[in-house]
Amino acid sequence: PRFETCWPALMKDSHGVVIVFNPELPSHLKELETWYSCFVQQQPLLDSQCLLVAHHKPGSAGDTDDLSLAYPLNKLKLIHSNLEEDPEDVRMEFMKYFRSIITFINESREREEMSIIS
């Protein structure tokens, strides 16, 4: 919230949004809806263009892998990151997300070109 004046510049022409949060902090869980509303819904971006990353700090207590988020956040792709235990899994999930964004951009561009031609 401190940097809200910068948000329009950050959002301009963006094709995807990755929201990283600490699932053990109730304040982060509350803020998720604000971030989603501002960076995804108001853009507007599709839900498939958003990735949620629940980041677990090293040695963090409590198992939050069964984290259940309320609507509309529960429609989004959610991955758990723990760089100590499984950095490769996080990398693979991020690459999958990144590829889906590139596919989306290419398809949008093709549709645009076809609409200009026809």
Side-chain angles (χ1 to χ4, degrees):
R2 280 179 298 183
F3 302 105
E4 269 183 64
T5 51
C6 304
W7 288 3
L10 288 171
M11 291 187 276
K12 185 173 167 30
D13 299 329
S14 62
H15 295 288
V17 175
V18 177
I19 302 174
V20 182
F21 65 100
N22 182 340
E24 292 168 37
L25 289 181
S27 61
H28 277 206
L29 296 174
K30 277 196 221 111
E31 286 170 24
L32 267 179
E33 286 190 37
T34 303
W35 291 103
Y36 172 72
S37 171
C38 292
F39 282 86
V40 181
Q41 290 180 311
Q42 289 175 34
Q43 284 264 61
L45 294 178
L46 300 173
D47 286 342
S48 59
Q49 291 170 272
C50 181
L51 176 68
L52 297 181
V53 181
H55 183 65
H56 303 269
K57 289 184 173 178
S60 58
D63 179 21
T64 47
D65 273 4
D66 60 349
L67 179 69
S68 58
L69 299 170
Y71 181 86
L73 299 170
N74 61 2
K75 301 183 297 173
L76 305 174
K77 171 77 175 160
L78 167 68
I79 65 170
H80 290 267
S81 85
N82 186 325
L83 300 181
E84 262 190 339
E85 287 177 22
D86 208 348
E88 187 58 24
D89 192 44
V90 176
R91 193 179 75 82
M92 292 298 292
E93 287 290 349
F94 185 77
M95 288 307 293
K96 262 195 275 184
Y97 166 73
F98 193 64
R99 276 195 293 268
S100 75
I101 294 296
I102 291 170
T103 302
F104 177 81
I105 293 168
N106 289 337
E107 287 172 354
S108 297
R109 195 169 292 145
E110 281 172 22
R111 274 195 304 273
E112 239 173 72
E113 288 168 2
M114 290 308 289
S115 70
I116 292 167
I117 294 167
S118 54

